[in-house]
Amino acid sequence: MKFDLSLAGFVLSLILGASGWVFRWNDKQKYERQQASLERQQAITQAEAAAEKKVNEARDFNHLLGNQKQITQGIASGFSDIEERIDHLRELMLRVESYLIRNQGTNHHE
């Protein structure tokens, strides 16, 4: 039995070519898995950022709402104080008017 070098070279080339294709395909699969993992991680990061932004916006809105309520209460309290002062001034003016009316006749005769 004689060993044919050209046949052995062909078989060796075929095996090397197939193994190269398998390694290339394996690298391609690994790259695609890494890309998919990276895309999932980016999607998770974006979702976390969006959720955090939403929570921060809700917190800021509630903070502003609380501030608005405090401002409204302050204004209402201020108006209440002003109304009390006006009522007090009205009362003083009525007393002064009453005093002037009562003493108007006595000042004329002197």
Side-chain angles (χ1 to χ4, degrees):
M1 177 166 173
K2 190 174 180 186
F3 187 68
D4 187 6
L5 285 177
S6 62
L7 181 61
F10 175 73
V11 170
L12 185 60
S13 295
L14 186 62
I15 291 171
L16 290 175
S19 66
W21 181 84
V22 168
F23 282 120
R24 172 72 178 124
W25 179 78
N26 190 26
D27 284 345
K28 183 179 177 187
Q29 293 297 317
K30 187 189 296 184
Y31 174 76
E32 288 175 355
R33 284 192 302 270
Q34 288 174 345
Q35 284 301 106
S37 176
L38 179 62
E39 288 172 1
R40 278 193 303 276
Q41 186 60 38
Q42 287 174 341
I44 290 169
T45 302
Q46 288 174 348
E48 288 173 344
E52 185 176 351
K53 181 180 178 187
K54 196 172 209 177
V55 167
N56 289 339
E57 287 173 349
R59 185 193 66 230
D60 291 346
F61 177 78
N62 289 331
H63 183 70
L64 291 173
L65 187 62
N67 287 348
Q68 183 64 36
K69 286 179 182 177
Q70 288 177 347
I71 290 169
T72 302
Q73 289 171 349
I75 291 172
S77 174
F79 278 129
S80 176
D81 290 344
I82 290 172
E83 287 176 358
E84 287 176 13
R85 289 180 184 191
I86 289 174
D87 288 342
H88 182 69
L89 289 174
R90 232 184 240 134
E91 185 179 318
L92 287 175
M93 286 177 20
L94 284 174
R95 285 182 186 172
V96 168
E97 184 180 16
S98 297
Y99 176 79
L100 290 175
I101 290 173
R102 195 175 11 167
N103 292 327
Q104 183 178 15
T106 58
N107 286 343
H108 247 328
H109 295 297
E110 291 178 12

